[in-house]
Amino acid sequence: MAPESEKVRIAVLHGPNLNLLGQREPEIYGSLTLGDIDARLREEAASLGVEVETFQSNVEGLLVDRIQEAAPRVSGFLVNAGAYTHTSVALRDALAGVGRPFVEVHLSNVQAREPFRHESLLAPKAVGAIMGFGVDSYVLGLRGLVAHVRRVEAAPSAPAS
Ligand code: DQA
């Protein structure tokens, strides 16, 4: 949990090939670039009164490193793990292991696509998942995650036994 008096800080993680947004299969992923999405998230974060930091990698291990490194300074993660969503035990274990809530997001509706995209290894550990709304999946995911973090941080902690 973030120290009191400090702003809630959220780490946004973008997985493989999301650096190609704008040119990559625009009929599926739209025409916005990753920079556009990050800018939209910073705008939304400002209106929610929180801070975001964003990170993209095509390398599974670098995403794991980033989760471990960012966890102590953030209250939660907003994650579009791209194809690793469907394959990565390592990302699932990292997210489950650092004790921070996360929300899974996808630009496309993965449930309406090929069967291999229907399974998410991350979703069972997530607070929730939002998909199919393009950039709005990220925006809605950020709102949901911040509301969750604020609810949890406002809840009285259990008495020490
Ligand atoms: C994606 C969906 C994944 O199945 C795919 O591998 C991606 C992008 C999405 O945002 O719709 O890279 O996560």
Side-chain angles (χ1 to χ4, degrees):
M1 190 185 293
E4 272 174 50
S5 82
E6 274 183 25
K7 260 193 187 173
V8 166
R9 188 175 178 84
I10 302 295
V12 181
L13 298 179
H14 306 286
N17 299 306
L18 294 170
N19 55 315
L20 296 181
L21 287 177
Q23 21 166 330
R24 174 193 182 202
E25 301 181 274
E27 65 290 356
I28 298 174
Y29 298 117
S31 56
L32 296 184
T33 66
L34 195 61
D36 294 332
I37 290 175
D38 285 346
R40 179 71 189 87
L41 282 172
R42 278 193 293 274
E43 203 178 281
E44 187 64 22
S47 81
L48 291 167
V50 303
E51 288 174 352
V52 285
E53 57 178 63
T54 66
F55 179 76
Q56 187 278 330
S57 181
N58 295 326
V59 180
E60 188 177 18
L62 292 181
L63 291 162
V64 170
D65 282 347
R66 182 69 175 208
I67 290 165
Q68 294 183 9
E69 185 240 314
R73 64 173 178 266
V74 303
S75 296
F77 291 90
L78 185 68
V79 183
N80 183 352
Y84 289 145
T85 306
H86 319 298
T87 64
S88 180
V89 176
L91 277 183
R92 173 195 172 114
D93 285 353
L95 287 163
V98 295
R100 295 288 181 275
F102 74 95
V103 168
E104 173 179 333
V105 298
H106 299 284
L107 294 155
S108 64
N109 178 0
V110 289
Q111 293 300 324
R113 299 181 62 194
E114 303 94 323
F116 64 84
R117 295 184 204 276
H118 295 181
E119 191 188 5
S120 166
L121 298 192
L122 310 184
K125 299 289 179 188
V127 173
I130 299 185
M131 63 185 73
F133 296 102
V135 66
D136 287 340
S137 294
Y138 282 90
V139 172
L140 295 168
L142 181 64
R143 284 185 199 157
L145 179 59
V146 169
H148 172 84
V149 164
R150 287 190 166 141
R151 247 189 332 266
V152 169
E153 292 189 355
S157 44
S161 53

